[in-house]
Amino acid sequence: MSLSTKPATFFTTAVVALVLACATIIPQVYAAPNGESTVEQVMKNGVLRVGMSTFVPWAMKDKTGKLMGFEIDVATRLAKDMGVKVQFIPTKWSGIIPALLTGKFDIIIGGMGILPSRNLKVNFSIPYDYTGMSMAASTTLAKDFSGLEAFNQKDVVLSARLGSTGVAAIKKYLPNASIRMFDDEAQAFQEAINGRVHGVVSSAPTPAFQAIKHPTKLFLPLKENFTREPIGFAVKKGDFDTINFLNNWITYVTSEGWFKERKSFWFETRDWEDRLN
Amino acid sequence: MIQQPPRLKLFDLLIFALVAAGLAWLMGAITAQSHYNWQWEVIPQYLLRLDDATQKWVPGMILTGLFITLRISFWATLSALVIGTIMGAMKSGRSHYLKMVATAYVETIRNIPVIVWIFIFYYFLGDIIVPLTGLDRAVNMNEGLLRQFLTTFVSDPSLLPVFFSATASLALYEGAYFTEIIRAGIESIEKGQWEASSSLGFTRFQQLRHVILPQALRRMLPPMAGQIISTIKDSSIVSVISIQELTFQGMELMSATFLTFEVWLTILALYFIVCFCCSMGVAAVERRLTQNM
């Protein structure tokens, strides 16, 4: 009968194998560098595509849906100094490096900490900012905890954002504690507010702001930040023209005192809070 | 036989009251247990807000996301239906080669998880396919009628390559399921129908178009409705490749405002409304088709 579906098993397997083989081989062919530096491409296209992710107060959307924050100011200024338009591409933090490597945008400007492990995959500019890890602890689970050592126990559970330097900091400074990782900052904090984890590790000043917002659920067990991390721009590897440009731009803008002024606006004041909601 | 419409009995009401009471208790318990400080008053401005500059009502972040979800779902469903019809016809056809191609497609897609497929398409295949379509040049498109059309019905030209990746990967994924639904529909039609239309001198395409598909459509409609609704829900997965649709906007909003429950419940309600409207629409189509029998 012509309508029967006799399984052509061998051929089917062969075709499936071929499709899968293509899917793995072709990208490697296409991944070959085309020799043009990112700076040249940006100048040619007239637009700087910036990969970023929401991180209060580095980058966030205000109530009108417009982006604002420290990193947004930095990227806007960088594009202005290059004489091009800026286009922000909000990207999930856990996938931001693969997205840069596959050319979804030109540069990551998102408060990215310079880590040796990250540096093996991307090139970093010199640091233009420093941040540190801080912790907010649950008032129910970690009531009498104080100091970092109190949290370095086997039965302590901490939350952090997936792929963030917070995870790296916990592994290094609190090796005995176990980690629960979340895709977003808010989820990590919610877990501590709900009293399901002892504490949440995140870049300062977010833990402090959250502790002010939820005074009965969260408190700050540490007096100071327990890490100091350099923050840099990330671009694809093998592109030294771009790194050279970025480094000198950072030196130029730092000597103006511009970074300091912007940083104190976003990190030390809360003047921007009514734009949020 | 004329069926009596089901009547509500006391027992049904009792069960209904029990379920409602259970749900109310659950909500209360969740609120009490998590000591959650509800701030519902913040949400409306993300749905609709009055623009200060122009004094006009404009959609907020959540509604903007909903529109993108609707556009992706619409184009993905439409393309998936086309793919499914072609592949379904191929799979139930007479050519062994075409049958093999269709089977390979269905088996490849159906046996990989959707999230992995979307990642692979976005990071690897998209980079090859998008330049071929010339969509990457659309980024620098000037003002004009085409641009206006794209912005209204498809996506902002600057985001077109990513939008294409998301829609195409979703369409290819859902297409495999539509293929099977359509194949099953075609094959459920009795052999006599093929033979009768063949004896009237219809070509194979005419047989499908005028005799087989109209009858099969009625049988395919219920599973198809399920698949269309699935496509809308699956569109939330493209948030992983940073399409700014409803789920992604929800996550962004949550990162910025830390209002976990309010944001997710709003998103949930919006998905429910959209999917439920679709269910209703398909049910209406089904009723009309049955009446015309």
Side-chain angles (χ1 to χ4, degrees):
Chain A
M1 197 181 101
S2 64
L3 283 175
S4 75
T5 44
K6 193 175 144 204
T9 325
F10 174 73
F11 287 105
T12 310
T13 320
V15 174
V16 171
L18 194 73
V19 169
L20 288 179
C22 287
T24 46
I25 292 165
I26 294 172
Q28 289 170 7
V29 179
Y30 270 79
N34 54 5
E36 205 177 38
S37 75
T38 303
V39 169
E40 280 171 55
Q41 272 173 29
V42 168
M43 300 305 289
K44 207 167 77 188
N45 296 336
V47 57
L48 177 71
R49 296 172 306 154
V50 178
M52 39 70 66
S53 188
T54 300
F55 249 123
V56 182
W58 280 268
M60 60 210 146
K61 278 184 178 161
D62 67 8
K63 54 187 161 192
T64 67
K66 248 185 80 192
L67 284 161
M68 63 171 190
F70 176 67
E71 297 290 359
I72 304 302
D73 285 356
V74 172
T76 310
R77 167 90 200 256
L78 176 65
K80 200 181 126 217
D81 288 356
M82 289 174 82
V84 295
K85 278 192 282 189
V86 63
Q87 185 195 356
F88 291 102
I89 302 180
T91 305
K92 289 183 83 75
W93 192 246
S94 47
I96 203 159
I97 287 182
L100 172 74
L101 298 182
T102 50
K104 308 299 176 198
F105 38 77
D106 307 308
I107 185 170
I108 299 173
I109 305 181
M112 184 172 263
I114 301 172
L115 287 181
S117 56
R118 276 181 185 155
N119 213 163
L120 291 172
K121 297 197 184 75
V122 295
N123 278 359
F124 279 107
S125 68
I126 56 169
Y128 57 91
D129 178 30
Y130 286 86
T131 178
M133 282 298 146
S134 157
M135 189 199 282
S138 154
T139 46
T140 48
L141 282 186
K143 208 168 84 194
D144 303 317
F145 287 35
S146 111
L148 203 57
E149 256 329 285
F151 288 90
N152 192 16
Q153 309 293 337
K154 271 231 149 52
D155 52 347
V156 167
V157 187
L158 299 169
S159 62
R161 186 179 189 177
L162 184 67
S164 71
T165 48
V167 175
I170 296 175
K171 281 184 182 153
K172 188 170 173 202
Y173 294 97
L174 302 156
N176 292 331
S178 46
I179 317 174
R180 296 204 58 204
M181 288 175 253
F182 293 91
D183 236 1
D184 290 284
E185 291 274 281
Q187 288 166 312
F189 276 94
Q190 190 61 52
E191 201 72 351
I193 292 166
N194 287 358
R196 280 197 285 262
V197 292
H198 292 76
V200 45
V201 171
S202 162
S203 298
T206 314
F209 286 160
Q210 285 300 308
I212 294 168
K213 220 167 157 185
H214 304 274
T216 57
K217 319 274 169 35
L218 297 177
F219 72 103
L220 296 173
L222 312 174
K223 292 211 168 51
E224 279 169 356
N225 299 343
F226 64 98
T227 63
R228 181 172 151 85
E229 291 168 13
I231 299 290
F233 301 132
V235 293
K236 273 191 207 178
K237 284 185 79 167
D239 186 357
F240 297 103
D241 282 358
T242 308
I243 288 295
N244 179 266
F245 170 76
L246 293 173
N247 286 350
N248 288 313
W249 182 78
I250 289 166
T251 317
Y252 172 77
V253 176
T254 309
S255 55
E256 269 181 16
W258 187 80
F259 281 124
K260 218 173 185 174
E261 186 257 311
R262 286 288 87 195
K263 175 123 191 187
S264 79
F265 174 76
W266 290 106
F267 288 78
E268 281 148 36
T269 76
R270 296 291 266 169
D271 294 347
W272 44 268
E273 191 143 59
D274 57 327
R275 277 156 68 186
L276 196 59
N277 53 46
Chain B
M1 192 183 94
I2 298 165
Q3 270 193 331
Q4 290 274 322
R7 291 234 321 267
L8 269 177
K9 298 200 182 82
L10 187 66
F11 184 67
D12 299 321
L13 285 174
L14 199 69
I15 298 232
F16 180 75
L18 269 175
V19 171
L23 281 177
W25 173 80
L26 199 66
M27 281 303 287
I30 291 171
T31 318
Q33 194 227 349
S34 60
H35 313 281
Y36 196 76
N37 177 20
W38 296 94
Q39 290 180 46
W40 280 105
E41 68 279 3
V42 182
I43 296 297
Q45 63 182 349
Y46 294 116
L47 292 170
L48 213 61
R49 62 181 178 80
L50 193 64
D51 195 57
D52 289 334
T54 56
Q55 288 300 311
K56 272 185 193 149
W57 287 94
V58 288
M61 269 171 77
I62 295 180
L63 272 195
T64 317
L66 178 68
F67 294 151
I68 295 178
T69 290
L70 290 178
R71 288 185 200 129
I72 290 183
S73 307
F74 175 76
W75 292 111
T77 308
L78 202 68
S79 325
L81 273 171
V82 173
I83 296 169
T85 311
I86 295 169
M87 289 289 176
M90 274 160 67
K91 220 182 160 190
S92 54
R94 275 176 293 197
S95 158
H96 262 290
Y97 291 103
L98 292 182
K99 207 181 284 186
M100 253 158 40
V101 171
T103 311
Y105 162 66
V106 170
E107 293 308 325
T108 311
I109 294 289
R110 210 168 49 171
N111 293 309
I112 53 178
V114 59
I115 191 162
V116 178
W117 164 244
I118 283 173
F119 267 127
I120 290 192
F121 195 95
Y122 177 63
Y123 285 126
F124 302 121
L125 301 178
D127 286 349
I128 304 162
I129 296 168
V130 170
L132 296 181
T133 57
L135 284 177
D136 49 338
R137 287 195 295 274
V139 175
N140 303 317
M141 193 188 280
N142 292 323
E143 295 294 326
L145 215 59
L146 183 65
R147 192 193 166 102
Q148 216 158 36
F149 171 81
L150 284 177
T151 317
T152 317
F153 295 104
V154 188
S155 139
D156 190 78
S158 63
L159 299 171
L160 210 54
V162 198
F163 183 88
F164 173 80
S165 271
T167 313
S169 52
L170 197 61
L172 281 170
Y173 190 83
E174 304 292 336
Y177 294 89
F178 280 116
T179 303
E180 286 297 88
I181 291 169
I182 287 164
R183 178 182 70 89
I186 292 174
E187 286 178 2
S188 75
I189 300 299
E190 298 71 17
K191 203 173 143 196
Q193 298 283 338
W194 287 96
E195 291 168 349
S197 50
S198 169
S199 67
L200 287 174
F202 280 25
T203 63
R204 195 179 150 76
F205 178 75
Q206 286 171 328
Q207 290 173 3
L208 264 178
R209 161 81 183 76
H210 296 288
V211 180
I212 306 299
L213 279 180
Q215 297 181 69
L217 187 64
R218 241 185 325 263
R219 298 181 186 176
M220 294 182 311
L221 221 45
M224 232 179 222
Q227 202 56 44
I228 290 171
I229 290 166
S230 261
T231 309
I232 298 173
K233 290 187 295 182
D234 287 349
S235 76
S236 70
I237 296 174
V238 302
S239 63
V240 297
I241 57 166
S242 308
I243 298 283
Q244 303 192 29
E245 44 73 77
L246 190 51
T247 307
F248 188 85
Q249 295 285 33
M251 288 181 188
E252 287 286 294
L253 205 55
M254 203 178 62
S255 310
T257 60
F258 290 78
L259 297 174
T260 319
F261 290 142
E262 289 89 336
V263 170
W264 283 126
L265 287 175
T266 310
I267 303 278
L268 188 93
L270 287 175
Y271 272 116
F272 180 81
I273 292 169
V274 171
C275 292
F276 194 66
C277 287
C278 263
S279 287
M280 290 296 171
V282 177
V285 173
E286 215 174 316
R287 266 199 307 278
R288 278 196 55 185
L289 281 178
T290 335
Q291 275 167 6
N292 293 347
M293 251 176 107

